Amino acid sequence: MLLKYLTNQVSKVSEKIPLRILLVVPFVLQIFVVVGFTGWLSLRNGQKAVQSVTTQLHSEITERLEQYLNVYLKVPHVVNQLNADAINLGLLDVQNIPTLERYFWHQLHTFKSLEHIALGNTNGDYIEVLRQKDGQFIVKVKDNTTSPSRHTYRLSSQGKRTQLLQSEPNYDPRFRPFYQVAVKAASPIWTDVYLGFSTQELHTDAVRPIYEQTGALKGVLDAGSNLSKISEFLQSLKIGQTGQTFIIERSGMLVASSTAEKPFVVTDGNATRIKALESRDSLTRSTADYLTKYFGNFTQINSSQQLTFNINNRRQFLQITPLREGNSPETDTLLLPDWLIVVVVPEADFQEHIDVNTRSTILLCLAALAIATLFGILTYRWITQPILHLTAAATALSRGEWNQVVSVERSDELGVLAKAFNQMALQLKKSFLTLSQRQASLAEAQKLAHVGNWELDLATYTITGSDELFRIFGWEPSEIGHRYLKYTDYLKRIHPEDAKVYREIISEAIYQGKPYEFDCRIQIPDGSIRHISTKGEPNLDHKGEVIRCFGTVMDITDRKLAAQALEQAKLDLEIRVEERTAELSQALEQLQQSEVQLKKKAFQLKKTLRELQQTQTQLVHTEKMSSLGQLVAGVAHEINNPVSFIYGNLTYARAYMSDLFELLQLYQEHYSSPPATIQNQTEAIELDFLMEDFPKLLDSMQVGAERISEIVHSLKNFSRFDQAQMKEVNIHEGIDSTLMLLQSRLSETVSHCGIKVIKEYGDLPMVQCYAGQMNQVFMNILSNAIDALEEKRIRIKETGDRSWQEKDYPPVFIKIRTRLQDVASHKNTHQLSPLTPHLLIQISDNGCGMIEPIRSRIFDPFFTTKPIGSGTGLGLTISYQIVVQSHKGKLNVTSTEGHGTEFAIELPLRQTILP
């Protein structure tokens, strides 16, 4: 069965091959296959040997590199783990910066591969000990002694600070990348690779967050090494003669390379990292380009793979291994960055001798091929001369030359074939005459019915059609030579709007082998349009594949024109109905517009009334505050005069007291035994106690007078009666004056503990503003904060038991923070320049907070949550107008129920238009 199957397959193939090839090729193949197979085996064995050697070399280089990286990169995480354990055990304190500085200095002496160790805590303190290229150490520190700047000192050989090198203003480690990456990951992690400004080398840091037992964040540990050490190790490896290895990130950025090329370039003094695709080394660049095309994305590489590719027709052996794959039992993937190790070795390093043998084998194959071809040609000419005569006669017969006679004077199989051919030619001549008569009758019938038939040959994509088919498409039969034309010329007559659908239907019929029927339009060269109805049916071969299509075309233009006229009449009627409907819709729209205009006027009147009410309210409040400011200023002035009198006379009273006491002492020394009357009076007035207590009494009077002076000064600052115009003021003085006036509500009493005020003042310049108005804003916001804290106390007491003690609950506080706003983050509002610096004042409390419906309405006039008689609901409304309208700033509030509220005031340091 197998032999029969093979024979059938060979017969099918030989039917399509010329005889001269069948006679020549077997002789050629016999020699060529034997010699070529021998050469192929030799070449294959050589390639296997080379591939085996390169595989072993790849594995050895990759294993050595993994071992080195595992040791080198694990040290920073191990140091962070040791320091975290020491902190958790209480051996180290994240707040004790000097102790951390000495400890980190000793650790850098122990771990020689580390470049720096650092820690940033939640208070914004920072300590970093760093090893420089020359082996010296420096320390970068930011604590309460340097805040808000970070100072850099040189360290002596004993680890002591010797010289201040640099001061960086407004440094906060909590906003640095290493801190935010660790907090976001909530576990040990590597930072992105970055370029050091001072070292001009690549670095990556191992960072680790530290937490309290309660889960609260303490700080972030940071330890890092210089990645140039990895490049030095790669350059020390021997990888064949011209092989290379390099390390890249998943993004394609170059980390280290065994070549002398650095993984970054310096342009105009600025250093920029480069991708492996942009490397100046051709082998590195070509390898990265192949990996990008092969994988599409480096993130798809999850295991070690060995590949081959070509550079200038020279094969390269490549192995790429993820550093986190963890093939080695010593590798801890959690302590390693997500890098890729690439080792590439050119085949030419091992293939030189194999190429010489390959060239010899190819020459032998060519010689054997030439000899076999010569013998095949001689055999072919002896056999094929009679066959060529028979072929020429058959070709002429196919062109319609029926008077063909083949003369072959042979009695073998070729002679019998010649006689049979002559008989077949005679029969074909008779059949052709009969077929011509029938085709003429069919053509007349198609012309009367306006129907044409066609045949599409899919081998040549030519169409054979009847005369009526060409007339329908605008061709005269005399223009078509043999009644066939190219399929593309046929498609050009299809109307452009129907051409795409026509092609899709024909293609679907050809691929699926199904008949079809549809209508379309054709465009005749004279510009007229005709409508046709076409039908088609594919013809399949013995394999079920479509080899040609048959079909008919009928001209249905008259029928389509009648249908279009009917459709046009229907369309005209619809247009008339739509025009009448449009007129009615227009009248209705005019009525609706009149109604909308009336509503707009009513809305405008309502808006004008609301604005008038707000203006009236603001005028009343402004007049009240002006009167209150004059009253406060007058009271402060009246109090200041007698207090100044008392405070100024205390000095003279203290001098008189001293003189009297010296005189009494002299009397006691010279008259040690005074009369009994004086002694009795001395005991009655307790002279010794009086002399001891009287100076204390004067000290108390001086303290009280100074306190009254401070209150008077705060009253003057708060009223700002003498500063009604906009001018430059110290905003901190206004805040402190307001706190002084509210001291009675902030101090501790018998019923509750005091309210703690936390000041985090930034280094601010003078601010251009209305000082009195801004003090009014501070008074409103701070008063509301105190009310919120007192409400929180009341709620805690109401929900607690009788044994409630306020000290059992977290202390209440008000935090005030000031700083300069980042210019780049400021949005251009109120038509201010985007370069105008801004001041940010944040006043927050840990009171009871607000729910969202209340928070969204706190700036509305007359809105208040206090009991009737306790508040007017105008304080925050006026404050908002002062900040936003008078100072072109912003006043925002954020609040969480049960956790507190924060007001943020944003003011420009300079106003663009002065009053």
Side-chain angles (χ1 to χ4, degrees):
M1 294 296 291
L2 178 61
L3 181 60
K4 183 177 180 181
Y5 173 75
L6 293 177
T7 303
N8 292 333
Q9 295 298 321
V10 171
S11 299
K12 292 179 181 179
V13 173
S14 61
E15 292 174 356
K16 302 178 182 180
I17 301 176
L19 185 61
R20 69 186 70 179
I21 296 177
L22 288 176
L23 293 176
V24 176
V25 170
F27 296 99
V28 176
L29 288 179
Q30 290 177 14
I31 304 300
F32 185 75
V33 168
V34 173
V35 179
F37 183 71
T38 303
W40 179 81
L41 285 178
S42 176
L43 178 63
R44 183 64 177 169
N45 290 333
Q47 290 177 342
K48 286 184 177 180
V50 171
Q51 189 169 2
S52 176
V53 171
T54 54
T55 300
Q56 294 176 4
L57 179 61
H58 281 154
S59 300
E60 180 181 353
I61 295 299
T62 302
E63 184 177 354
R64 289 182 60 189
L65 186 53
E66 283 182 338
Q67 291 177 353
Y68 174 79
L69 293 176
N70 185 47
V71 173
Y72 186 76
L73 295 176
K74 188 164 62 176
V75 171
H77 273 298
V78 170
V79 170
N80 283 345
Q81 179 65 52
L82 293 175
N83 293 338
D85 293 340
I87 292 173
N88 292 332
L89 293 174
L91 303 178
L92 290 177
D93 185 4
V94 296
Q95 308 296 335
N96 193 340
I97 300 300
T99 301
L100 292 172
E101 177 181 340
R102 293 192 299 273
Y103 186 77
F104 290 167
W105 181 79
H106 283 289
Q107 278 191 323
L108 285 178
H109 282 78
T110 303
F111 299 95
K112 302 296 184 181
S113 63
L114 280 182
E115 185 181 47
H116 72 270
I117 306 175
L119 181 142
N121 61 29
T122 54
N123 293 333
D125 297 338
Y126 180 76
I127 178 65
E128 176 186 4
V129 182
L130 185 142
R131 188 199 313 273
Q132 295 184 303
K133 288 185 177 181
D134 57 1
Q136 300 295 322
F137 293 89
I138 61 174
V139 62
K140 298 181 179 180
V141 60
K142 186 247 181 172
D143 56 11
N144 55 358
T145 63
T146 68
S147 182
S149 301
R150 182 179 73 171
H151 291 179
T152 302
Y153 300 92
R154 189 184 304 280
L155 295 180
S156 65
S157 58
Q158 288 78 29
K160 297 182 179 180
R161 303 178 186 177
T162 59
Q163 180 185 1
L164 177 63
L165 301 177
Q166 185 182 9
S167 178
E168 302 175 56
N170 299 323
Y171 180 84
D172 194 335
R174 295 169 293 184
F175 298 101
R176 306 300 295 177
F178 84 93
Y179 194 97
Q180 296 182 354
V181 166
V183 173
K184 183 178 180 180
S187 63
I189 194 173
W190 288 96
T191 65
D192 293 337
V193 177
Y194 63 93
L195 187 64
F197 293 106
S198 59
T199 61
Q200 289 295 303
E201 299 289 351
L202 292 186
H203 303 265
T204 182
D205 297 349
V207 294
R208 182 188 188 94
I210 315 167
Y211 297 97
E212 302 277 3
Q213 292 183 356
T214 59
L217 180 67
K218 284 186 177 181
V220 173
L221 287 166
D222 179 3
S225 302
N226 194 331
L227 298 184
S228 62
K229 300 293 184 181
I230 300 178
S231 294
E232 295 174 1
F233 177 77
L234 295 182
Q235 294 170 7
S236 67
L237 297 177
K238 180 63 176 177
I239 310 172
Q241 297 180 5
T242 60
Q244 294 182 14
T245 181
F246 56 91
I247 300 174
I248 58 176
E249 296 183 277
R250 294 285 182 173
S251 62
M253 287 292 182
L254 199 61
V255 177
S257 174
S258 61
T259 64
E261 179 186 24
K262 289 185 175 295
F264 57 88
V265 295
V266 179
T267 306
D268 298 332
N270 297 322
T272 306
R273 292 188 63 195
I274 62 174
K275 292 185 177 181
L277 285 170
E278 303 168 353
S279 173
R280 295 187 295 272
D281 185 85
S282 59
L283 183 57
T284 302
R285 186 173 60 253
S286 300
T287 303
D289 182 63
Y290 169 74
L291 289 173
T292 302
K293 294 178 180 178
Y294 184 83
F295 291 101
N297 193 325
F298 289 123
T299 58
Q300 305 298 322
I301 305 174
N302 299 317
S303 61
S304 178
Q305 299 191 38
Q306 292 189 349
L307 307 169
T308 59
F309 67 101
N310 294 330
I311 301 178
N312 297 328
N313 296 324
R314 294 181 177 272
R315 191 160 64 158
Q316 314 289 324
F317 293 100
L318 167 67
Q319 177 168 327
I320 182 166
T321 304
L323 183 57
R324 285 190 173 182
E325 185 182 15
N327 290 330
S328 173
E330 301 175 357
T331 300
D332 187 352
T333 59
L334 296 177
L335 301 182
L336 297 177
D338 193 9
W339 293 345
L340 299 174
I341 303 172
V342 181
V343 181
V344 57
V345 181
E347 185 183 37
D349 289 359
F350 309 95
Q351 193 72 12
E352 182 176 358
H353 297 292
I354 296 175
D355 290 341
V356 174
N357 295 333
T358 302
R359 287 193 290 270
S360 300
T361 303
I362 293 174
L363 291 176
L364 290 174
C365 291
L366 293 176
L369 178 63
I371 295 172
T373 303
L374 178 61
F375 281 103
I377 292 173
L378 294 176
T379 305
Y380 152 74
R381 291 180 62 83
W382 177 73
I383 295 175
T384 59
Q385 285 298 329
I387 300 176
L388 291 176
H389 292 297
L390 186 62
T391 302
T395 303
L397 186 64
S398 65
R399 293 196 298 266
E401 301 174 4
W402 307 107
N403 298 321
Q404 297 295 321
V405 178
V406 179
S407 298
V408 178
E409 300 298 334
R410 297 177 64 163
S411 59
D412 56 4
E413 290 85 352
L414 292 177
V416 175
L417 179 61
K419 293 178 182 179
F421 177 79
N422 292 331
Q423 294 177 359
M424 179 184 67
L426 182 59
Q427 293 177 357
L428 286 175
K429 184 177 181 180
K430 294 179 180 179
S431 299
F432 179 74
L433 292 175
T434 303
L435 180 61
S436 298
Q437 294 175 357
R438 293 181 178 178
Q439 284 182 344
S441 300
L442 179 61
E444 289 298 328
Q446 289 183 349
K447 185 175 182 180
L448 292 174
H450 295 290
V451 176
N453 65 285
W454 54 268
E455 176 184 347
L456 172 61
D457 188 353
L458 297 180
T460 61
Y461 270 88
T462 57
I463 289 182
T464 304
S466 63
D467 293 343
E468 186 62 21
L469 174 72
F470 297 120
R471 292 192 188 95
I472 292 174
F473 277 82
W475 286 296
E476 286 298 326
S478 58
E479 299 177 6
I480 308 301
H482 297 282
R483 296 196 303 172
Y484 72 87
L485 72 160
K486 294 182 180 179
Y487 182 59
T488 55
D489 295 335
Y490 178 81
L491 290 177
K492 290 179 181 178
R493 293 297 170 92
I494 304 299
H495 194 278
E497 296 179 0
D498 298 339
K500 181 179 179 181
V501 178
Y502 184 89
R503 292 189 184 96
E504 291 177 354
I505 293 175
I506 297 296
S507 299
E508 184 178 359
I510 293 174
Y511 289 127
Q512 296 183 2
K514 296 181 179 180
Y516 64 88
E517 178 181 356
F518 69 96
D519 298 342
C520 67
R521 291 169 293 174
I522 60 175
Q523 192 169 9
I524 308 304
D526 60 4
S528 60
I529 304 297
R530 292 182 182 176
H531 296 267
I532 62 172
S533 175
T534 179
K535 297 180 180 180
E537 184 172 348
N539 187 16
L540 308 178
D541 60 4
H542 63 281
K543 296 180 180 179
E545 297 179 356
V546 179
I547 57 175
R548 63 178 59 86
C549 291
F550 300 93
T552 61
V553 172
M554 177 183 291
D555 189 348
I556 58 172
T557 303
D558 295 338
R559 187 176 66 188
K560 283 288 185 180
L561 292 177
Q564 289 177 359
L566 179 61
E567 186 68 24
Q568 183 63 37
K570 180 181 178 181
L571 182 61
D572 292 341
L573 180 60
E574 291 178 352
I575 291 174
R576 293 178 182 177
V577 173
E578 289 179 356
E579 290 176 351
R580 183 59 178 168
T581 304
E583 293 175 357
L584 294 176
S585 299
Q586 185 176 5
L588 179 61
E589 184 178 356
Q590 292 176 354
L591 181 61
Q592 292 176 347
Q593 288 179 353
S594 300
E595 184 179 357
V596 170
Q597 291 177 355
L598 291 176
K599 289 183 178 179
K600 286 183 178 179
K601 291 181 180 179
F603 177 76
Q604 188 66 30
L605 291 174
K606 185 177 180 181
K607 181 179 179 182
T608 303
L609 178 60
R610 183 169 62 253
E611 291 176 354
L612 180 61
Q613 291 176 345
Q614 291 179 356
T615 303
Q616 182 181 6
T617 301
Q618 185 175 0
L619 289 174
V620 172
H621 188 77
T622 302
E623 183 64 25
K624 182 180 70 173
M625 292 306 298
S626 176
S627 301
L628 178 61
Q630 294 178 3
L631 177 61
V632 170
V635 171
H637 180 73
E638 293 299 327
I639 295 176
N640 190 51
N641 290 333
V643 170
S644 299
F645 174 79
I646 296 172
Y647 186 77
N649 289 328
L650 283 175
T651 303
Y652 299 105
R654 194 182 300 277
Y656 297 159
M657 175 197 69
S658 178
D659 294 341
L660 290 175
F661 283 176
E662 289 179 359
L663 180 62
L664 287 174
Q665 289 176 355
L666 290 175
Y667 269 106
Q668 289 177 349
E669 290 177 0
H670 293 86
Y671 298 98
S672 56
S673 299
T677 304
I678 295 176
Q679 290 182 0
N680 293 335
Q681 185 64 25
T682 299
E683 292 177 357
I685 64 175
E686 298 181 356
L687 181 61
D688 293 336
F689 173 77
L690 187 148
M691 294 177 66
E692 179 182 356
D693 189 60
F694 192 63
K696 296 180 181 179
L697 180 62
L698 291 178
D699 291 340
S700 300
M701 293 175 65
Q702 184 171 0
V703 170
E706 291 175 352
R707 176 63 177 168
I708 295 174
S709 297
E710 291 176 358
I711 295 174
V712 170
H713 180 69
S714 298
L715 287 172
K716 287 183 176 182
N717 286 340
F718 178 77
S719 65
R720 293 287 183 176
F721 183 69
D722 57 341
Q723 298 183 18
Q725 299 299 321
M726 179 176 289
K727 58 179 62 180
E728 293 185 347
V729 298
N730 186 341
I731 204 71
H732 290 158
E733 290 184 358
I735 298 175
D736 292 339
S737 299
T738 306
L739 291 173
M740 176 67 71
L741 296 179
L742 294 172
Q743 188 62 36
S744 61
R745 299 188 64 187
L746 298 172
S747 302
E748 182 178 358
T749 62
V750 178
S751 59
H752 59 76
C753 297
I755 298 174
K756 183 179 180 181
V757 178
I758 303 173
K759 299 179 182 179
E760 296 181 2
Y761 288 169
D763 188 8
L764 304 180
M766 302 295 284
V767 181
Q768 197 175 57
C769 65
Y770 297 101
Q773 293 183 6
M774 289 309 302
N775 289 341
Q776 181 181 347
V777 173
F778 299 147
M779 175 62 75
N780 289 332
I781 295 176
L782 290 172
S783 297
N784 286 340
I786 295 173
D787 292 340
L789 294 174
E790 289 179 350
E791 183 180 354
K792 182 177 182 180
R793 288 195 185 102
I794 295 173
R795 291 185 181 181
I796 294 175
K797 288 182 179 181
E798 291 176 351
T799 56
D801 54 21
R802 296 182 178 178
S803 62
W804 176 85
Q805 296 292 333
E806 187 171 342
K807 63 182 180 180
D808 296 334
Y809 291 84
V812 292
F813 66 84
I814 296 175
K815 181 182 290 185
I816 306 174
R817 291 174 291 182
T818 63
R819 62 183 175 89
L820 285 178
Q821 180 75 320
D822 187 2
V823 174
S825 66
H826 176 66
K827 296 183 178 178
N828 188 12
T829 59
H830 300 291
Q831 299 180 350
L832 287 178
S833 170
L835 300 179
T836 304
H838 277 61
L839 163 69
L840 181 63
I841 306 170
Q842 296 171 292
I843 303 176
S844 59
D845 62 74
N846 63 341
C848 53
M850 295 178 285
I851 60 177
E852 180 58 25
I854 295 178
R855 189 205 64 78
S856 61
R857 296 187 58 196
I858 61 171
F859 295 126
D860 294 346
F862 306 106
F863 177 77
T864 179
T865 58
K866 298 177 182 179
I868 297 176
S870 299
T872 62
L874 292 175
L876 290 179
T877 304
I878 299 301
S879 299
Y880 185 84
Q881 294 174 352
I882 290 173
V883 174
V884 177
Q885 298 178 5
S886 300
H887 292 83
K888 300 179 181 178
K890 295 181 179 179
L891 178 57
N892 299 319
V893 59
T894 57
S895 180
T896 303
E897 186 178 11
H899 294 83
T901 304
E902 178 180 281
F903 285 85
I905 304 172
E906 184 178 345
L907 297 176
L909 294 183
R910 297 290 181 270
Q911 298 292 327
T912 56
I913 301 177
L914 294 177

